Amino acid sequence: ASRIALRSTDLSVAAKLLGSKVEDQLQWQLGTARQLGDDPRVKALRINLKEHFYTRCAFKVGLEDFKHARDPEEYAGLKRWILGPLAFVNRKELSEGMFKWADYAIHTSLTKQGSWGDMDFSGYENDARQIFKSIMGYMGDGQ
């Protein structure tokens, strides 16, 4: 287009989009979908934008950096004798896989128990396990 001096609003928008980052392209599409009132497309684009953000920034938002998370060795050391799939997982595997997907439920909470500022979280071990199992069931990972 530039070789033959063809000027068009559509061409300048296309050239701008082709030279931009994926997130910028998705933002532009999101704005257009909003203008058109295309709610399913808006929802899909929002999800896509979040996925791109978390993929790009995963190292910044890792659970390992959460200051109230248990130490992986402490988490693995709290393993009790449990029947089922967890009975065959050793402590090293538990500590290395604490923040990774697994096909079995947690055996204790992933967070430290006690007070965080003015809130007391002592005694919620059973609740943490039950909530985790409920999430697994909702996501289709439950046994």
Side-chain angles (χ1 to χ4, degrees), residues 10-50:
D10 292 339
L11 288 175
S12 61
V13 169
K16 181 181 175 186
L17 284 173
L18 289 173
S20 64
K21 295 185 282 184
V22 173
E23 286 90 354
D24 294 337
Q25 294 172 11
L26 291 170
Q27 285 287 359
W28 181 80
Q29 290 180 39
L30 179 61
T32 302
R34 283 184 182 146
Q35 287 176 350
L36 296 173
D38 189 352
D39 292 336
R41 180 79 176 141
V42 168
K43 183 177 179 180
L45 286 165
R46 283 184 176 159
I47 291 169
N48 203 338
L49 272 165
K50 288 177 184 179

Side-chain angles (χ1 to χ4, degrees), residues 22-142:
V22 173
E23 286 90 354
D24 294 337
Q25 294 172 11
L26 291 170
Q27 285 287 359
W28 181 80
Q29 290 180 39
L30 179 61
T32 302
R34 283 184 182 146
Q35 287 176 350
L36 296 173
D38 189 352
D39 292 336
R41 180 79 176 141
V42 168
K43 183 177 179 180
L45 286 165
R46 283 184 176 159
I47 291 169
N48 203 338
L49 272 165
K50 288 177 184 179
E51 287 174 353
H52 277 278
F53 172 78
Y54 288 121
T55 300
R56 186 171 41 84
C57 300
F59 65 94
K60 295 179 185 174
V61 293
L63 292 173
E64 299 87 355
D65 298 326
F66 178 56
K67 70 179 182 176
H68 297 293
R70 287 191 193 272
D71 177 70
E73 285 76 26
E74 174 193 3
Y75 170 77
L78 292 172
K79 177 185 169 193
R80 297 172 184 85
W81 177 252
I82 299 172
L83 297 175
L86 194 56
F88 302 104
V89 177
N90 66 39
R91 288 185 178 170
K92 183 178 181 205
E93 289 173 358
L94 275 177
S95 68
E96 290 174 354
M98 180 178 171
F99 294 111
K100 296 179 182 167
W101 180 88
D103 61 351
Y104 50 82
I106 58 174
H107 61 283
T108 189
S109 68
L110 300 176
T111 56
K112 298 174 189 170
Q113 299 296 297
S115 297
W116 303 354
D118 60 348
M119 299 174 71
D120 184 24
F121 290 97
S122 300
Y124 288 99
E125 293 291 324
N126 289 333
D127 293 334
R129 288 193 305 270
Q130 187 58 48
I131 290 168
F132 192 90
K133 286 179 183 177
S134 296
I135 293 170
M136 285 181 72
Y138 178 80
M139 299 303 292
D141 295 333

